[in-house]
Amino acid sequence: MAQVRLIKNIGLGDNATGIQTGTIHEPTVATSHDNIFITGNWFAGRSTDNGAGWTLVNPFNALPPAAGGFCCDQIVLHDPSRDLWIWILQYIAKEGGNVFRVAFAPGDNPTAWNWQDFSPRDLDSSWTDMWFDYPDAAVSSNHLYVTFNAFNAAGRWQRAFAFKLPLDALKAGTALTYQWWTTTQNGSLRLTQGAADSMFFASHNGGRTLRIHGWPDGSNTVGSFDVQVSPWTPDPFSAPGPGGVEWLTRTDSRITGGWVSGTRAGFLWTAGPRSGRPMPYVKGAVVDVTTQALVEEPDIWSQESAYAQPAACPNAQGVVGVSLFLGGGPRHPSHVVGFRDGGEWRLAITSTSTHGPLEGKWGDYLTCHRHDPESSEWVASGYTLQGGFDRRNVEPRYVHFGIGS
């Protein structure tokens, strides 16, 4: 039986983070040979020797300021087909709006950043009271796709956006032309890792329905279809650990994991307890994008602890890897990685927190990407609390894992 093989499992110290950490940490990571780039709230760190040593890349001043200054959310990607680093940063709203920045650098000089900023007003001059939040990003064969929610100054959701940027232009460092699409019907759009000629992304469409969007690389048109899944509950999210310490107070049911392999797109999210699932768990849905039919529902669940906040990515052979959290009952929040082996999930804990978080706050997203150059393996981001319960005790984690026996 195949098992999870932990190749690198590294907890980052203060030299990598500058103690610019929080329990709403949202770490992301990407690799290129011996180069590793990891981000979180509110730091970025880099290793040039496969994780042996780390240095802080301060997102507050590594790039010029914009809008009201750097805020928090970040995503890092590496596109091996063009040896291209991509760094997405979100900035604070100022005068009713903010920007997100797409920075890009060649693989052989990952500090030589070019960038372009995007604001709601650039898209429509009447959108003067709108700011971007909660990013996602993925690459296809030829494009970078980025999604964001948009809120007004009162904090009310307005719409969701998807952007498509050509990777060749990013590689060349030339002026960017891009396409964008927006909807007022569905928020928190989750992209599929592993896309080739089309990008798929999904969100909940009320009750048991998923709305799945498709955006081909060679088209200006976004299509969509709906799929019904088996019943699940969007709350409550509670899984107190040792001492009754909660960690899911701000968890919700937004889709946080998405992948595509061949004609099948899969999505993962956190669901509340139900019959046969006594704790919050990860709900899965895999759809055939050609027949638009539900294929399987590969849930991840436990009798004694909650699984939450999953990320996913297929390796080069189409095997789905995951990064997620496990906590409650006998354990404080723990980081978990694994993969889908036939009809079973093979999972391994990388680290377990010594404490639960203050105010029960944990989240909101993780990443799982293919390792470069070992495309049959994965890299994942995670974190735990070590030695205490506030943000200074957050230990980000870089994990390189594969399939063992």
Side-chain angles (χ1 to χ4, degrees):
M1 182 175 67
Q3 300 291 334
V4 179
R5 180 168 62 102
L6 297 178
I7 301 164
K8 292 277 187 179
N9 184 15
I10 301 172
L12 274 63
D14 294 348
N15 58 326
T17 69
I19 323 180
Q20 296 170 197
T21 50
T23 58
I24 312 302
H25 191 59
E26 302 170 339
T28 77
V29 69
T31 60
S32 173
H33 298 267
D34 286 341
N35 291 294
I36 307 169
F37 199 115
I38 190 167
T39 70
N41 289 346
W42 297 268
F43 82 98
R46 183 182 297 281
S47 174
T48 60
D49 53 13
N50 200 24
W54 296 84
T55 56
L56 174 69
V57 180
N58 192 336
F60 289 92
N61 56 31
L63 300 173
F70 171 72
C71 165
C72 40
D73 291 353
Q74 304 174 78
I75 294 176
V76 65
L77 300 167
H78 178 262
D79 173 33
S81 70
R82 292 163 179 82
D83 195 16
L84 178 68
W85 291 99
I86 300 167
W87 185 15
I88 296 167
L89 305 94
Q90 178 181 314
Y91 289 78
I92 298 170
K94 181 180 181 181
E95 298 175 352
N98 72 339
V99 304
F100 74 86
R101 174 170 289 171
V102 177
F104 40 98
D108 60 356
N109 190 2
T111 62
W113 296 106
N114 291 304
W115 61 87
Q116 182 160 324
D117 294 343
F118 299 78
S119 78
R121 295 181 192 183
D122 293 337
L123 310 178
D124 187 321
S125 60
S126 69
W127 289 339
T128 57
D129 180 21
M130 191 181 295
W131 55 279
F132 295 121
D133 185 47
Y134 194 66
D136 190 26
V139 296
S140 66
S141 296
N142 293 298
H143 290 87
L144 165 68
Y145 292 79
V146 181
T147 61
F148 269 94
N149 285 327
F151 297 84
N152 64 15
R156 296 189 182 92
W157 182 84
Q158 301 295 293
R159 57 181 64 235
F161 289 92
F163 295 82
K164 182 167 76 169
L165 293 76
L167 288 169
D168 285 340
L170 292 172
K171 174 66 174 178
T174 56
L176 284 178
T177 59
Y178 62 92
Q179 300 172 45
W180 61 277
W181 174 87
T182 186
T183 175
T184 58
Q185 302 300 311
N186 304 99
S188 302
L189 305 170
R190 184 57 45 172
L191 297 157
T192 48
Q193 304 296 323
D197 296 330
S198 291
M199 178 61 67
F200 297 93
F201 48 99
S203 68
H204 299 302
N205 199 42
R208 297 168 50 191
T209 305
L210 293 182
R211 176 154 293 172
I212 299 168
H213 304 277
W215 197 348
D217 265 13
S219 173
N220 297 333
T221 302
V222 176
S224 66
F225 61 93
D226 290 347
V227 173
Q228 281 206 333
V229 300
S230 62
W232 60 279
T233 55
D235 54 44
F237 296 114
S238 176
V245 179
E246 185 60 82
W247 67 290
L248 294 178
T249 59
R250 60 172 282 128
T251 298
D252 57 43
S253 58
R254 290 177 291 190
I255 299 172
T256 56
W259 76 91
V260 62
S261 179
T263 64
R264 294 187 174 184
F267 301 95
L268 301 173
W269 63 93
T270 309
R274 65 166 178 82
S275 176
R277 304 280 192 273
M279 302 291 287
Y281 68 100
V282 167
K283 177 69 178 169
V286 178
V287 175
D288 189 303
V289 296
T290 56
T291 64
Q292 301 182 3
L294 183 68
V295 176
E296 64 168 337
E297 296 178 279
D299 298 349
I300 304 174
W301 64 283
S302 164
Q303 289 281 356
E304 63 178 10
S305 300
Y307 283 105
Q309 300 162 8
C313 178
N315 68 5
Q317 290 74 41
V319 179
V320 180
V322 290
S323 177
L324 67 165
F325 290 113
L326 171 69
R331 57 176 61 84
H332 289 303
S334 303
H335 178 236
V336 174
V337 298
F339 57 88
R340 184 81 168 156
D341 179 21
E344 302 292 334
W345 290 104
R346 310 298 179 193
L347 303 172
I349 294 175
T350 69
S351 180
T352 297
S353 297
T354 61
H355 294 69
L358 288 174
E359 301 177 351
K361 294 181 178 179
W362 202 262
D364 285 323
Y365 56 80
L366 297 170
T367 55
C368 182
H369 292 138
R370 291 179 190 174
H371 185 275
D372 177 43
E374 301 298 335
S375 60
S376 64
E377 301 166 355
W378 300 269
V379 293
S381 59
Y383 67 98
T384 56
L385 282 166
Q386 298 298 324
F389 46 71
D390 71 13
R391 66 172 191 82
R392 291 168 296 181
N393 299 106
V394 169
E395 182 182 73
R397 187 154 293 272
Y398 165 72
V399 182
H400 173 193
F401 68 102
I403 300 172
S405 58

